[in-house]
């Protein structure tokens, strides 16, 4: 029990789901603790723009304390959870033991290398701000190194950029690097033959943007090819040793920069029954997001797998799912505490979109699919509106407008050099 | 000799001086190489705002390659100089040997701990962007740690912030932390008794802002005290072990955060004759910035000490000196190459200013001294105009306007936790 007999709800993770849940519990008679290893919320959909020098990291991060300013029933702690002991309703954390009546796991996902440790050691993930900043440093360092490369093979390796995974992140990253090449590199590196910079996008399935409409899939590939990206579909990565990327069909690409966006897996807390974990390292939850195997443990967002007849693989790992689950869980928790009934989760799919580059995006909203300039503006508008915080909206808007007219990227800075 | 018989000028350092020199040589028949360990120019006067969560680091950094876009007689390399061999007109760098006809050392300055290694290990410098970001992380980490401090002594230590050195950087930093306390911390940390946050500014001499007018000195101290900063003048730091700061008069302050702005020293290249180095680790230069002991080695900005009757201690370590020396040296180098005479350096002092906090600044322009709101706007205007790059100006302006009206700081983010 928390303060003055209130039920104590502990939320692990300050992503879209955790934040939404805590906000919706604002005026309720519950005692909330939210934990995150960072003191900020990350707007993950724009990480790729940080990695490619388009945006300041600080403008897609938002202080969690500020989100909950004035929310009296909530405490926030920067900590990492080492272990959960469900039988004792306890979390062991880096700042001590935290007890709960209800535990909500909203830890999100991380890059999935599918057990290929060599790839994991050498490819660059892009799921957090420090990872995006490392990637930004590496891209720029490799360009600097290419200038002084001792031989042609080495130069080629430094100028080949490979993105593995043709989902939205992969498509957007490939497009952003292509734009960087087109508008920035030729000015920044007059000594380099910019035509030698190659961008590859590798996708295992026959098309890009798997869950989107056929039209969006075809058009996004067309956009990328217009920008000079070599798109390899039906191509699986066999190995990558830091120098040579080998595909399953035997083709090889020499590259110092391999960006991994080929899959994610849930970030599951230590101490949970492994039987509740399903494919993708996600926690199997019922229709009210309760983790099967437990009575008072819930999971929302990317880490939750709500397997049902309608959703045999769970929901897509996108922000709207996490937000909607957070919102509903707030209601359900209050109802349960008050002894009332709960309602089952039903995902309201608002559609999907991806941007490829300047004036080029693809949007699916229900049965409506459109591409090109209007889609691009739609993409920008939706992302700007979803971004947390007025200052962030303003700074991102200023950067985008400036980039649009100047054809430039402002933040091509190696602030902390990346070292393996 | 450089390309096609042109004289080869190598500039080490992309600060105010180095950049100005290289820009002024734009259309000249010389072969310029500029070297810096970073790929960006740092606008040092605003580092303290990065350290205190007011500005993104990326908005006070500017890509060096972009500054020299289209300048055909210039090459830029990211590298560190390991050694200079003046007898052979050679630099040994991390990317190989670089030869020169003229060498210009524009390496600037770094924190001077005056040989006190214990202080150096425990106090926080703030002379580069990574250092400012480390300080930002530490300030925020200590506030987080204070929330869960096990005892009162530990809490006190975490909530005491000490700034050593009452020059512009020290005054501005102390003011910024005081503003942070006043407007942000009370909302961010409702669990903390914010009155327990103490800010100390320690200055060895009898007044703050040494070289400024009496009026500015008195007023800046008054401003700081209004903001709740404890200003200790005539106070010298004896030792700091990471926990206790001891003054020469025996007073002690318990603190986990000691910011060192008590002095700087030149960053001198290895391999130069130690006889050319004077107090503050600066290179002794003549009136055309030629390093005494050499014929073709020059030094400008903070690393140069132009000792003359008029300037017995050299010039102040400020941007205008570096810029003016860079500008004149460009002319003198060309004149020398063309066999013409040189002109001696004469510093045109435009005045000095420092901001203490919201609506509070002090400005000296020649015989004119003013303080308060108008001084504050003057300070902002001058800094905004001096900032390199339109995007940076825009982003900083947006941040300042937003902060002014919201009383907030947007970038209180622990992006890379600081570890000693």
């Amino acid at each position: 029990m928390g303060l003055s007999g209130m039920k104590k709800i502990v939320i692990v993770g300050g992503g879209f789901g955790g934040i939404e849940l805590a906000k919706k519990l604002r005026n309720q008679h519950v005692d909330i603790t939210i934990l995150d290893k960072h003191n900020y919320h990350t707007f993950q959909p724009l990480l790729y723009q940080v990695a490619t020098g388009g945006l300041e990291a600080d403008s897609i991060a938002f202080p969690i304390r500020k989100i909950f300013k004035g929310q009296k029933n909530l405490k926030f702690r920067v900590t990492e959870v080492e272990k959960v002991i469900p039988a004792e309703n306890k979390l062991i954390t880096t700042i001590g033991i935290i007890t709960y009546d209800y535990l909500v796991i909203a830890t999100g996902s991380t890059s999935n290398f599918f057990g290929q440790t060599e790839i994991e050691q050498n490819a660059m993930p892009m799921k957090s701000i420090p990872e995006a900043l490392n990637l930004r440093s590496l891209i720029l360092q490799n360009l600097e190194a290419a200038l002084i490369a001792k031989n042609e093979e080495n130069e080629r390796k430094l100028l080949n950029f490979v993105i593995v995974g043709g989902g939205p992140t992969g498509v957007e990253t490939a497009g952003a690097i292509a734009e960087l090449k087109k508008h920035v590199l030729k000015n920044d590196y007059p000594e380099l033959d910019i035509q030698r910079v190659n961008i590859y996008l590798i996708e295992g399935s026959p098309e890009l943007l798997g869950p989107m409409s056929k039209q969006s899939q075809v058009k996004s590939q067309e956009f990328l090819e217009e920008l000079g990206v070599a798109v390899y579909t039906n191509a699986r990565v066999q190995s990558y040793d830091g120098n040579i990327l080998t595909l399953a069909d035997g083709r090889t690409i020499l590259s110092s920069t391999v960006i991994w966006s080929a899959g994610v897996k849930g970030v599951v807390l230590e101490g949970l029954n492994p039987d509740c974990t399903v494919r993708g390292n996600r926690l199997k939850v019922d229709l009210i997001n309760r983790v099967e195997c437990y009575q008072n443990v819930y999971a929302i967002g990317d880490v939750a797998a709500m397997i049902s007849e309608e959703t045999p693989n769970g929901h897509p790992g996108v922000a709207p799912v996490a937000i909607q689950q957070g919102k509903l869980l707030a209601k359900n928790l209050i109802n349960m505490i008050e002894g009332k009934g709960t309602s089952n989760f039903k995902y309201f799919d608002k559609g999907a979109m991806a941007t490829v580059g300047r004036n080029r995006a693809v949007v699916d909203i229900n049965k409506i699919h459109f591409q090109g300039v209007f889609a691009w503006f739609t993409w920008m508008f939706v992302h700007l509106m979803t971004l947390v915080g007025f200052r962030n909206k303003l700074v991102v808007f200023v950067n985008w407008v400036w980039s649009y007219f100047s054809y430039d990227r402002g933040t091509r800075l190696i602030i902390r050099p990346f070292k393996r």
Side-chain angles (χ1 to χ4, degrees), chain A:
Chain A
M1 284 283 188
L3 288 168
S4 56
M6 285 192 287
K7 290 287 183 187
K8 191 169 173 193
I9 301 173
V10 175
I11 304 167
V12 185
F16 289 109
I19 295 284
E20 186 68 22
L21 168 61
K23 268 164 55 178
K24 285 288 175 291
L25 292 171
R26 188 178 184 106
N27 296 312
Q28 302 296 336
H29 189 69
V30 288
D31 173 13
I32 312 162
T33 302
I34 182 160
L35 311 176
D36 199 288
K37 61 182 168 179
H38 299 301
N39 78 334
Y40 54 87
H41 165 79
T42 303
F43 190 74
Q44 294 194 1
L46 291 177
L47 279 173
Y48 82 94
Q49 294 210 0
V50 171
T52 53
L55 288 177
E56 286 97 346
D58 301 20
S59 59
I60 67 157
F62 195 81
I64 292 178
R65 296 203 171 278
K66 190 168 148 80
I67 296 175
F68 298 111
K69 180 177 152 182
Q71 182 161 345
K72 293 207 166 54
N73 65 349
L74 179 138
K75 272 196 313 214
F76 168 61
R77 293 288 181 269
V78 177
T79 183
E80 286 196 62
V81 175
E82 289 165 348
K83 201 178 170 183
V84 47
I85 308 179
E88 302 174 25
N89 292 346
K90 249 188 210 169
L91 292 173
I92 316 289
T93 78
T94 47
I95 59 168
I97 289 171
I98 295 172
T99 59
Y100 60 83
D101 295 311
Y102 296 95
L103 173 65
V104 182
I105 302 171
T107 41
S109 58
T110 185
S111 294
N112 194 349
F113 292 92
F114 306 101
Q116 293 174 281
T117 49
E118 196 198 41
I119 296 178
E120 185 165 357
Q121 278 157 22
N122 295 301
M124 302 295 287
M126 198 179 56
K127 284 287 289 175
S128 70
I129 286 182
E131 285 172 359
L133 289 172
N134 283 343
L135 180 53
R136 176 176 92 176
S137 289
L138 181 66
I139 292 172
L140 296 165
Q141 284 165 230
N142 285 346
L143 290 167
E144 293 296 330
L147 274 183
I148 52 163
K150 294 279 184 291
N151 58 58
E152 194 263 335
E153 185 182 299
N154 204 22
E155 192 202 71
R156 198 142 48 92
K157 196 172 82 177
L158 292 161
L159 296 182
N160 281 344
F161 296 88
V162 182
I163 299 101
V164 184
T169 306
V171 166
E172 294 183 333
T173 309
I177 297 178
E179 292 274 349
L180 198 63
K181 170 185 169 183
K182 196 171 162 189
H183 300 299
V184 178
L185 301 190
K186 70 169 181 341
N187 292 321
D188 268 11
Y189 299 93
E191 297 168 68
L192 279 182
D193 176 3
I194 219 65
Q195 292 318 313
R196 297 173 66 87
V197 174
N198 293 303
I199 301 141
Y200 299 87
L201 178 62
I202 314 289
E203 164 60 32
S205 73
E207 57 276 311
L208 301 177
L209 300 176
M212 289 189 75
S213 66
K214 188 74 201 165
Q215 214 174 319
S216 292
Q217 292 172 349
V218 171
K219 201 69 191 173
S220 61
Q221 181 159 351
E222 209 178 292
F223 283 154
L224 284 169
E225 285 166 349
E226 276 170 27
L227 286 170
V229 175
V231 179
Y232 291 10
T233 48
N234 291 311
R236 296 194 164 272
V237 174
Q238 178 92 28
S239 68
Y240 176 57
D241 64 1
N243 294 306
I244 299 170
L245 179 116
T246 307
L247 298 178
D249 61 14
R251 279 182 293 179
T252 58
I253 304 170
L254 214 53
S255 176
S256 302
T257 324
V258 172
I259 302 161
W260 193 256
S261 60
V264 295
K265 61 179 179 188
V267 177
V268 168
L269 301 180
E270 285 287 309
L272 292 176
N273 184 342
D275 295 346
C276 358
T277 305
V278 295
R279 205 170 63 90
N281 208 35
R282 291 172 303 166
L283 296 166
K284 201 172 169 216
V285 298
D286 65 14
L287 293 169
I288 61 164
N289 282 95
R290 189 192 319 240
V291 178
E292 297 191 0
C293 337
Y294 302 104
Q295 278 305 308
N296 60 343
V297 179
Y298 296 77
I300 56 176
D302 283 14
V303 74
M306 193 181 284
I307 311 285
S308 70
E309 265 176 52
E310 272 177 73
T311 56
N313 297 311
H315 293 96
V318 294
V321 171
I323 293 170
Q324 292 174 32
Q325 290 183 342
K327 196 177 278 183
L328 180 68
L329 185 55
K331 272 193 206 147
N332 280 337
L333 283 173
I334 296 303
N335 282 341
M336 280 186 277
I337 290 167
E338 293 176 351
K340 298 180 191 158
T342 57
S343 350
N344 289 344
F345 179 70
K346 181 106 194 55
Y347 175 44
F348 173 63
D349 187 351
K350 292 180 185 168
M353 51 181 74
T355 191
V356 181
R358 190 183 184 77
N359 295 334
R360 290 178 178 94
V362 294
V363 174
D364 292 351
I365 300 175
N366 298 318
K367 299 257 176 286
I368 306 160
H369 316 305
F370 53 104
Q371 301 87 27
V373 180
F374 182 65
W376 190 67
F377 279 102
T378 306
W379 181 93
M380 286 203 294
F381 179 77
V382 169
H383 282 76
L384 215 49
M385 289 304 105
T386 337
L387 200 61
V388 180
F390 182 66
R391 191 197 72 93
N392 286 0
K393 285 187 174 67
L394 215 58
V395 172
V396 169
F397 179 72
V398 163
N399 271 294
W400 284 351
V401 170
W402 176 81
S403 286
Y404 189 74
F405 290 106
S406 68
Y407 290 81
D408 204 348
R409 304 289 176 86
T411 63
R412 45 188 193 279
L413 312 164
I414 309 173
I415 291 204
R416 306 209 189 224
F418 175 69
K419 287 176 198 123
R420 275 186 212 283

